[in-house]
């Protein structure tokens, strides 16, 4: 039920108990957990030695401003650079989306990480937190590139997580810092923001991350606390059968539900399968909150585990990878390296 954050680059004694606790399904890694590729791979092994082989390990490795592991990993440009290519050469942009995704996913899988919370399928319409992370403002273009990105992740042995449902791109406020309210009616959100999600699901994305944004014309609760959004619209209307993942419960906008335990329960009651407790200072309370609660459907969680992975030696000997990295590097340079 929970994916938790750890404090540093090695497991602390207190974190052993967390990993063995009922209700902990996985770990979310951050830059604070990374110093080198060898260190990361040792940490991944230690997490599974303590928590079991089924423990999920995930990270945000989108590229651009959100890439937790940088040294020894390909520096990935933000998704907006691929959207810019689409405006002049759609076919080339589709190839670049697949290649970007394959590089990201194959490198993480070679390191033992199961999945990245990717791709961002929000529309590029001015949100402070999304910014360069979105492909494009146009729903149809975003949908096409999102499908390509999901394909590339699958080729790299990784499940895809579409975020942030039902669309975080059209409200200016950053939910990390404040409450975000999107006043648009449901028919407009269906027409625009839901299009990339529907197409990503059609490409067999395994999971969806739900936004902390409030859409008062649909529900007074943030989407991640809303059974209307999760059970009625995502599951019922869109027919999604994969895993539903909350955004981080430590974000300011999650405070609408109350304290840590209330946030965890609100997400689970609304229909989330996994709840993110990304900062160590909330983990004890989050673990206490899930005691006695029923676990998510095991097949949804199992679908997030990484497929059989290439080794780093085999990746380094792969001419296709060299070509893809050169093309991504050229894209980075051509777009003025906006993420530097």
């Amino acid at each position: 039920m929970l994916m938790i954050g750890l404090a540093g680059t090695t497991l602390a004694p207190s974190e052993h108990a967390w990993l063995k606790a009922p209700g902990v399904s996985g770990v979310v890694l951050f830059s604070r957990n990374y110093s080198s590729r060898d260190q990361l791979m040792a940490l991944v092994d230690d997490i599974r030695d303590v928590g079991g082989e089924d423990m999920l390990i995930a990270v945000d490795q989108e590229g651009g401003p959100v890439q937790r592991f940088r040294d020894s990993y390909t520096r990935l440009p933000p998704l907006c650079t691929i959207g810019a290519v689409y405006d002049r050469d759609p076919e080339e942009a589709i190839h670049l989306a697949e290649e970007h995704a394959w590089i990201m996913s194959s490198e993480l899988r070679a390191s033992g990480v199961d999945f990245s919370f990717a791709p961002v399928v929000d529309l590029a319409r001015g949100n402070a937190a999304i910014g360069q992370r979105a492909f494009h403002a146009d729903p149809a273009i975003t949908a096409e590139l999102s499908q390509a990105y999901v394909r590339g992740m699958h080729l790299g042995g990784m499940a895809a997580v579409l975020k942030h449902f039902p669309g975080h791109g059209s409200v200016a406020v950053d939910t990390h810092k404040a409450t975000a309210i999107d006043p648009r009616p449901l028919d407009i959100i269906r027409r625009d923001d839901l299009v990339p999600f529907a197409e990503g699901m059609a490409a067999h994305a395994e999971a969806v991350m739900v936004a902390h944004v409030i859409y008062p014309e649909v529900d007074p609760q943030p989407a991640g606390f809303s059974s209307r959004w999760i059970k009625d619209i995502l599951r019922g209307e869109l027919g999604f059968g994969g895993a539903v993942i909350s955004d981080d419960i430590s974000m300011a906008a999650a405070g609408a539900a109350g304290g840590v335990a209330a946030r965890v329960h609100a997400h689970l009651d609304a229909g989330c399968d996994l709840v993110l407790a990304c900062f160590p200072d909330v983990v004890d309370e989050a673990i206490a909150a899930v005691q006695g609660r029923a676990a998510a459907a095991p097949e949804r969680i199992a679908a997030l585990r990484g497929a059989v992975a290439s080794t780093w030696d085999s990746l380094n000997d792969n001419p296709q990878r060299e070509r893809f990295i050169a093309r991504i590097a050229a894209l980075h340079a051509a777009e003025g390296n906006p993420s530097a």
Side-chain angles (χ1 to χ4, degrees):
M1 282 176 281
L2 297 176
M3 294 194 74
I4 63 171
L6 305 174
T9 55
T10 59
L11 285 180
S14 61
E15 294 171 340
H16 286 236
W18 290 352
L19 294 174
K20 294 177 181 178
V24 174
S25 300
V27 170
V28 187
L29 297 176
F30 291 86
S31 298
R32 66 178 183 263
N33 307 119
Y34 182 77
S35 62
S36 71
R37 197 167 69 206
D38 287 344
Q39 168 270 322
L40 171 66
M41 295 173 75
L43 177 60
V44 166
D45 287 343
D46 289 346
I47 290 168
R48 293 206 169 101
D49 285 344
V50 174
E53 285 300 313
D54 290 340
M55 185 70 52
L56 293 172
I57 300 177
V59 67
D60 284 302
Q61 191 83 341
E62 302 168 13
V66 182
Q67 181 168 345
R68 308 305 187 195
F69 310 149
R70 300 196 180 197
D71 292 345
S72 303
Y73 289 81
T74 301
R75 190 70 179 94
L76 298 166
L79 297 186
C80 68
T81 60
I82 300 173
V85 172
Y86 191 101
D87 288 334
R88 61 180 182 267
D89 190 340
E91 185 175 354
E92 173 71 353
I94 290 166
H95 289 314
L96 286 167
E98 292 175 343
E99 292 161 13
H100 189 293
W102 183 86
I103 292 167
M104 180 275 291
S105 57
S106 63
E107 290 183 352
L108 290 180
R109 290 296 305 121
S111 307
V113 176
D114 287 298
F115 66 95
S116 173
F117 295 104
V120 171
V121 302
D122 302 305
L123 302 179
R125 294 186 174 179
N127 177 264
I130 302 303
Q132 300 171 359
R133 299 163 64 195
F135 284 115
H136 206 279
D138 185 292
I141 294 172
T142 300
E144 191 169 7
L145 293 175
S146 298
Q147 282 202 322
Y149 206 90
V150 170
R151 290 195 298 271
M153 290 180 72
H154 288 166
L155 289 170
M158 180 174 284
V161 181
L162 309 173
K163 64 184 188 184
H164 306 79
F165 182 84
H168 198 327
S170 296
V171 57
V173 172
D174 180 349
T175 50
H176 294 87
K177 301 175 181 178
T179 299
I181 298 174
D182 187 335
R184 295 175 300 154
L186 180 56
D187 61 338
I188 299 299
I189 297 170
R190 280 196 184 106
R191 184 196 69 190
D192 293 347
D193 301 69
L194 293 190
V195 172
F197 287 97
E199 293 303 310
M201 293 171 203
H204 308 293
E206 289 81 0
V208 166
M209 178 182 284
V210 191
H212 286 315
V213 177
I214 298 170
Y215 308 84
E217 291 297 310
V218 182
D219 193 307
Q221 292 296 317
F225 301 146
S226 167
S227 60
R228 171 85 170 111
W229 276 115
I230 296 173
K231 295 177 182 178
D232 296 346
I233 297 173
L234 179 59
R235 296 265 189 232
E237 182 179 317
L238 297 177
F240 182 63
V244 178
I245 306 174
S246 81
D247 212 336
D248 179 24
I249 58 170
S250 296
M251 292 166 62
V260 170
R263 299 176 197 193
V264 171
H265 288 304
H267 278 307
L268 295 174
D269 291 345
C272 289
D273 299 294
L274 292 170
V275 177
L276 302 188
C278 296
F279 288 90
D281 60 352
V282 304
V283 171
D284 280 323
E285 194 170 349
I287 289 174
V290 300
Q291 299 311 300
R293 293 205 60 132
E299 64 274 11
R300 294 177 188 162
I301 306 305
L304 298 174
R305 296 191 185 106
V308 175
S310 298
T311 65
W312 273 100
D313 285 343
S314 65
L315 284 182
N316 288 332
D317 288 338
N318 185 340
Q320 174 180 264
R321 178 171 179 262
E322 293 178 6
R323 291 194 299 271
F324 288 177
I325 289 174
R327 282 167 49 75
I328 290 297
L331 172 63
H332 221 317
E335 297 301 326
N337 196 6
S339 62

